[in-house]
Amino acid sequence: MKLLSFRGGVHPPHRKKSTESIKVERAKDPATLYIPLQQHIGAPCKAIVNVGDTVKVGQKIGEAQGFVSAPVHSSVSGKVKAIKECPVPGGKGLCVVIENDFANEIHESVVPKGNIDSLTGAEILEIIKEAGIVGMGGATFPMHVKLSPPKDKKIDTVILNGAECEPYLTADHRLMLEKPESVVYGLKAIMKVLNVDKGYIGIEDNKPDAIEAMVKAAEKESNIEVVGLRTKYPQGAEKQLIYACTNREVPSGGLPMEAGVVVNNVATAAQVYESITTGMPLVERITTITGSAITNPNNLLIKIGTTFEEIINQCGGFKEEPGKVIMGGPMMGLTQYTLEVPVTKGGSGILCLNREEATLPEPSNCIRCGKCVDICPAFLQPLFISAHSLKYNFDRAEDYRALDCIECGSCSFICPSKRPLLQSIRVAKREIIAQKRKQSK
Amino acid sequence: MDSKLIISSSPHLRSKEDTSSIMRDVVIALIPATIAAVYYFGMGALGVIISALIGAVASEALCQKLMNKPVTINDWSAIVTGLLVAFNIPASAPLWIPFVGSVFAIVIVKQLFGGIGHNFMNPALAARAMLLASWPVEMTSWVTPGPDAVSTATPLAIIKGAEAIDMAKPSFFDLLTGNIGGCIGETSAILLILGGVYLLYRGVITYVIPAYYIGTVFVLTLIFGGFDVANSMYHLFAGGLMIGAFFMATDYSSSPMTQKGQIIYAIGCGALTTIIRLWGGYPEGVSYSILLMNVAAPLIDKYVNPKVFGEVAK
Ligand code: SF4
Ligand code: SF4
C-alpha cells in the first residue's frame, strides 16, 4: 500500500503502547451524572426537563437552539437533581445533574430506525440530527451541519479520519479493531446523505492491525478505499488529511467542502451506525485514559456526564501526583483545573501527566533555527507571527497569515528554544478576529 | 489537590531537543576535524584552539554578568563560536590573536546585538574578517603541517598563482585528508564532511544550504575553468568551502528562514565565492561571501514568503 501524506509535520513520541492492545470495556455507571447542555460548537441547548423529572436512557433532555447546535440526551435512567452551572472541560457551563437509579430503563423513542437501503438520505440526516451527533474526534462540530452543504457546493468525497495522530490516544484504534463493520456502515450512511460515491478511510501506518481490519470490513464496498497514511502529526488534521487522500488543497480560510470533501471521525461514523440500527442517540463514547500518572491505563466506553474523577478511580487512581489532567491528546487537548468535569461527546482521552512531564519548559531566545518554518503544515512562519504577537503588533501578525494557523501545536513542539509559539499565535488570532468583528460592525 | 493541576494551553508535549543539545551536536561534529588539526599542526593548533575557547566562554560569561542577563555559557553556543574562530586562524598565529578574535565575536557581534539568535552575521567569520584586516601578516603566515612547520602557501593561492608562488600544488589526497597549509579548520575536507553528515543526520542542519552552496561553486568553476572537472573538484576541497558550507553558512541566525530563501542565499554564497576566488585579489572567498550573504539574509527573508497552504497562486 502506498503511504499518503502531507508536507511538514512532526514526529512526537507515540506513547500508545500502554493502551493500544487493551480491549474496550464498559465503565461502571456513576451514581450522579453531569450532562452539559453545550457539548458542541454552536448555540447551547435549552433544557427541556425540570428538576424532579424522571428521565430514561436516550431521552432528550436538551433541545438544540438554532441550526448550528445539537440536542443532548440522558445517558442513564434516573431523576433530574438540578440544572446548574458546573465545571465542564472548557470552563463552566450549564449542566443537567442526574441521579442514576441504575434501572437502565430505555426511553420509548429509542427504537431501530431501519437500514441504509430502506431509509432515504434525508431521513438518515434527520436521525443524525436528532441523535445529537457531533464530531467525536474533539472538534465537536454538529454533524448534520457538515452534512448539509450549501446547494452550490458540489461534494464528491467523504473521508473518515482514522489517523488518530495524537500521541497517547487509542480509542479510535480500538474501535476500528473491534467494530470495523459499524465504521463502514456509518460511512455508507454518510455517503448516502451527501449522495457521493467515493469514500476513504485514512489510517496511520502505526496501526497496521486497524488497517487490516478496516480493509477486511470494506472488502465488498467497491467505492470505499482504506488508505494507509504516514505516521506523522498532524496527519488527522482535516486539511492535511484531505490533501493526503485527494491531493486537493482546501483554500486558505475555507472549509473542506470547498475542496468537495466532507471529513468525519471514525468514531462519529460508528455512532451513526448505532443511531440508525438501535435508535440510541449519542450518550456514550470510547475514551482512552492514559498517561504517566495513571495506575491502570485503559480504553473505556463511558456514559457521557461521568466525571473524570469517577473514571480515574476506576483506572486505579493516580500512581503519582498528577501535574496536568488533559481532555484529549497532548498536542491539542485542554488542561483541566478540577477532576469534577464530566466526559463529553468530544472527549477522546483523559491524559494524566506526572509533575515532571507537566512542568512547562523555560523559554529562551529564538535561535532562528527555522525548524518551526520547516514543519508548519500550514506553511506559515511561526517565529515571525509569534514575535509580532508578543509585541502586540497584530497587524503584522495578520500579514504573516496568523489566521491560517490550524493550531496543531507542531511549532511549539519542535522549538528547541521552547518558545511559546502557538500560545502567542492564538493570542494574535483572537485579537485579529476581534478587530475584524469591530470593523464589520 | 485539584488546585495544584497545571493549566496551560496546548501543546503539552515538547521535543527533547533544545538549544544546548543542538550546539553540543555542532561541537561533536567539529571534533574529528579538531583532532586532525592538532595531529597535523601540533601544539600550535592546540594553543590556538584553547585560547579561542577561553576567550569565547569567558567573554560571554562576563558580558552577560555585566548586562545582568542570565549567564548561558552552558548552552554550548560560546564553545561553538570559539571553535569556529580557531578554525579560521592559522596554527602559527600568536596566541593572543584567537583570543582577541573570540572576544570580538562574542562581545561585538553576538552580545551587543542581543545574544544568541540576534547576531546578523556569523560571529566567527566576522572575527576572521576583523583579524585579517587588522593583523594581515599574522593571519596569513601559513605553515606546512608536520613538526618542522616550514612556511608555505595555501593550495588555493598556489593554483591561483597570484603571489607568484613557485610551488607544486598539493595532491588531491593531501587535500582530502588535510595535509596542506591553511587555517586550522580549512584542512581536512573529509573530516569536515563527516561532521556535516553528522549534523544532517541529527537534523541540526538541512541539506539545502551546503548542497546549493557547494553545487554552485562546482558548476561555476566548471564553466569558467574550461570544463576541467579535476580543477573544480580541487576548488571544492581546498580552502574553507567545506567548513563554510556545512558550519558557517548554515548558522541559524544569519541565514534565511525559508527553504526558498536558503536556496537563493546559498547560490549567492557559491557565486560570490567563485568570483572572489577566480577574479578577486584574494585567493579565498568563502568567508567574505558568507558575510555578504549574511547581510542580505534579512532582505531575502522579507521578499521570499512561502506560499501558505491553500493559498491560490498569484
Ligand atoms: S523553532 Fe523556535 S528557535 Fe527555531 S526558529 Fe522557530 S521559534 Fe526560533
Ligand atoms: S503555526 Fe499553527 S499551523 Fe503552523 S505549526 Fe504552529 S500551530 Fe501548527
Side-chain angles (χ1 to χ4, degrees):
Chain A
M1 186 183 286
K2 194 175 128 269
L3 287 181
L4 306 175
S5 198
F6 63 99
R7 213 188 86 200
V10 291
H11 297 274
H14 299 173
R15 310 236 169 106
K16 292 178 190 268
K17 282 272 170 300
S18 55
T19 52
E20 70 187 4
S21 45
I22 303 179
K23 257 183 116 87
V24 177
E25 255 179 75
R26 188 170 270 288
K28 276 204 292 297
D29 286 358
T32 316
L33 294 99
Y34 301 81
I35 303 179
L37 284 166
Q38 182 177 24
Q39 301 182 41
H40 48 265
I41 291 180
C45 292
K46 204 173 106 216
I48 52 168
V49 287
N50 293 310
V51 178
D53 285 3
T54 29
V55 293
K56 294 179 182 166
V57 185
Q59 179 178 343
K60 193 192 281 184
I61 54 176
E63 186 66 82
Q65 299 296 302
F67 183 57
V68 184
S69 185
V72 294
H73 303 79
S74 177
S75 49
V76 294
S77 59
K79 210 184 213 107
V80 176
K81 245 175 43 182
I83 298 173
K84 60 170 189 194
E85 286 268 308
C86 302
V88 297
K92 275 197 178 294
L94 211 53
C95 290
V96 177
V97 184
I98 297 173
E99 199 173 62
N100 193 354
D101 63 9
F102 294 99
N104 230 337
E105 250 182 279
I106 311 279
H107 192 251
E108 307 65 62
S109 64
V110 181
V111 287
K113 306 287 191 232
N115 60 59
I116 294 187
D117 298 320
S118 66
L119 294 164
T120 65
E123 283 167 337
I124 297 176
L125 185 61
E126 191 57 27
I127 294 170
I128 289 173
K129 187 173 167 188
E130 279 305 302
I133 304 180
V134 301
M136 290 167 73
T140 66
F141 194 75
M143 190 178 187
H144 67 270
V145 182
K146 254 191 194 180
L147 300 191
S148 320
K151 287 273 172 305
D152 58 320
K153 296 275 183 291
K154 177 84 193 89
I155 305 292
D156 60 7
T157 306
V158 174
I159 300 176
L160 283 195
N161 182 359
E164 202 162 54
C165 57
E166 275 269 11
Y168 289 97
L169 303 187
T170 56
D172 290 348
H173 184 178
R174 289 314 304 179
L175 171 75
M176 290 187 283
L177 278 182
E178 295 175 29
K179 293 183 160 178
E181 299 80 17
S182 58
V183 175
V184 173
Y185 190 102
L187 175 56
K188 282 168 63 184
I190 297 166
M191 286 162 65
K192 180 152 188 179
V193 173
L194 289 166
N195 195 19
V196 304
D197 46 30
K198 187 70 205 167
Y200 291 97
I201 304 172
I203 306 167
E204 279 192 344
D205 68 329
N206 62 351
K207 299 178 260 294
D209 50 350
I211 296 180
E212 200 182 311
M214 290 310 309
V215 166
K216 203 149 160 274
E219 224 165 29
K220 292 200 194 70
E221 313 297 334
S222 56
N223 49 0
I224 294 180
E225 200 180 322
V226 177
V227 292
L229 306 170
R230 180 154 296 133
T231 300
K232 183 164 80 169
Y233 181 85
Q235 192 61 264
E238 268 187 347
K239 296 183 180 183
Q240 279 60 35
L241 186 63
I242 292 170
Y243 181 77
C245 291
T246 65
N247 240 326
R248 298 182 199 162
E249 280 190 27
V250 177
S252 156
L255 290 169
M257 62 169 92
E258 271 153 81
V261 183
V262 165
V263 180
N264 279 288
N265 186 269
V266 286
T268 319
Q271 180 61 45
V272 171
Y273 162 81
E274 289 294 329
S275 297
I276 292 175
T277 55
T278 68
M280 185 59 83
L282 172 46
V283 293
E284 55 189 12
R285 65 156 300 137
I286 303 173
T287 301
T288 303
I289 300 89
T290 185
S292 48
I294 280 280
T295 311
N296 303 313
N298 209 345
N299 300 300
L300 293 176
L301 181 61
I302 300 173
K303 290 262 157 85
I304 281 162
T306 311
T307 61
F308 278 28
E309 183 153 31
E310 198 88 41
I311 297 296
I312 289 166
N313 286 339
Q314 282 185 41
C315 294
F318 293 120
K319 66 172 176 225
E320 55 183 302
E321 197 197 348
K324 257 184 201 176
V325 173
I326 298 160
M327 182 185 90
M331 297 301 284
M332 298 186 84
L334 277 179
T335 47
Q336 304 300 323
Y337 65 94
T338 164
L339 299 180
E340 286 162 29
V341 295
V343 173
T344 56
K345 292 175 181 177
S348 48
I350 299 178
L351 174 58
C352 308
L353 301 177
N354 65 20
R355 283 262 137 202
E356 191 194 319
E357 284 178 328
T359 309
L360 299 177
E362 205 46 55
S364 51
N365 266 6
C366 165
I367 56 172
R368 296 179 48 101
C369 65
K371 285 177 196 273
C372 54
V373 179
D374 264 355
I375 55 81
C376 174
F379 312 161
L380 304 174
Q381 303 183 66
L383 81 156
F384 293 130
I385 307 178
S386 164
H388 289 306
S389 171
L390 292 174
K391 285 191 219 129
Y392 305 103
N393 207 341
F394 301 116
D395 291 348
R396 294 289 290 140
E398 191 183 357
D399 293 344
Y400 277 104
R401 324 270 313 215
L403 293 183
D404 279 300
C405 168
I406 59 168
E407 307 199 11
C408 67
S410 301
C411 49
S412 299
F413 169 79
I414 202 83
C415 178
S417 301
K418 314 293 162 202
R419 313 269 329 143
L421 292 169
L422 170 56
Q423 291 79 348
S424 54
I425 293 172
R426 270 203 193 100
V427 173
K429 284 179 75 174
R430 235 190 358 250
E431 291 293 328
I432 295 167
I433 291 171
Q435 273 295 323
K436 287 209 151 116
R437 287 239 173 83
K438 237 196 262 158
Q439 274 161 12
S440 63
K441 256 184 209 152
Chain B
M1 178 207 89
D2 279 355
S3 59
K4 280 200 242 141
L5 290 174
I6 298 171
I7 304 297
S8 68
S9 77
S10 64
H12 311 290
L13 200 59
R14 301 297 188 89
S15 72
K16 279 211 181 58
E17 190 182 60
D18 59 19
T19 312
S20 12
S21 74
I22 290 180
M23 294 302 160
R24 196 167 56 227
D25 272 338
V26 179
V27 173
I28 293 172
L30 286 170
I31 285 177
T34 311
I35 294 174
V38 175
Y39 171 76
Y40 285 124
F41 294 116
M43 282 306 137
L46 193 63
V48 167
I49 293 169
I50 291 175
S51 156
L53 287 179
I54 293 176
V57 175
S59 59
E60 172 128 315
L62 197 68
C63 236
Q64 290 178 325
K65 266 253 151 56
L66 289 179
M67 298 200 276
N68 267 328
K69 286 205 215 160
V71 176
T72 58
I73 48 173
N74 51 9
D75 74 2
W76 292 78
S77 67
I79 300 196
V80 170
T81 306
L83 262 182
L84 290 178
V85 168
F87 273 38
N88 274 300
I89 291 172
S92 56
L95 288 187
W96 55 267
I97 286 259
F99 188 84
V100 171
S102 281
V103 171
F104 176 83
I106 294 285
V107 177
I108 309 285
V109 188
K110 186 178 173 189
Q111 290 302 339
L112 280 191
F113 282 94
I116 189 166
H118 292 291
N119 50 295
F120 71 103
M121 277 187 183
N122 184 314
L125 285 181
R128 175 191 173 121
M130 183 279 288
L131 292 173
L132 202 54
S134 315
W135 296 282
V137 179
E138 285 83 351
M139 284 297 287
T140 52
S141 34
W142 315 111
V143 290
T144 53
D148 36 323
V150 283
S151 73
T152 182
T154 61
L156 282 174
I158 299 171
I159 56 169
K160 192 161 188 181
E163 296 153 44
I165 305 156
D166 185 21
M167 211 184 266
K169 64 177 189 184
S171 76
F172 203 65
F173 180 76
D174 283 342
L175 214 53
L176 282 184
T177 52
N179 196 16
I180 44 169
C183 291
I184 290 177
E186 285 181 353
T187 55
S188 174
I190 284 280
L191 294 179
L192 289 170
I193 294 173
L194 187 73
V197 169
Y198 174 76
L199 292 186
L200 284 172
Y201 164 74
R202 297 281 294 167
V204 173
I205 59 173
T206 64
Y207 74 93
V208 177
I209 292 177
Y212 279 89
Y213 190 169
I214 296 170
T216 306
V217 171
F218 183 78
V219 170
L220 290 182
T221 50
L222 199 62
I223 294 173
F224 295 107
F227 294 92
D228 177 357
V229 177
N231 176 59
S232 292
M233 292 302 278
Y234 208 83
H235 266 288
L236 297 197
F237 294 112
L241 184 58
M242 287 303 154
I243 186 147
F246 282 107
F247 292 92
M248 312 270 201
T250 52
D251 175 42
Y252 288 150
S253 34
S254 50
S255 61
M257 295 313 304
T258 60
Q259 202 182 55
K260 235 179 46 241
Q262 289 174 352
I263 293 175
I264 298 173
Y265 163 90
I267 292 179
C269 286
L272 287 172
T273 301
T274 316
I275 292 171
I276 297 177
R277 278 189 183 179
L278 294 184
W279 296 292
Y282 184 62
E284 170 61 308
V286 170
S287 28
Y288 288 113
S289 322
I290 297 177
L291 284 175
L292 279 170
M293 292 311 291
N294 282 168
V295 177
L299 217 66
I300 298 178
D301 263 338
K302 193 163 166 199
Y303 290 108
V304 181
N305 265 321
K307 175 189 148 301
V308 169
F309 185 94
E311 191 178 2
V312 193
K314 277 184 218 141

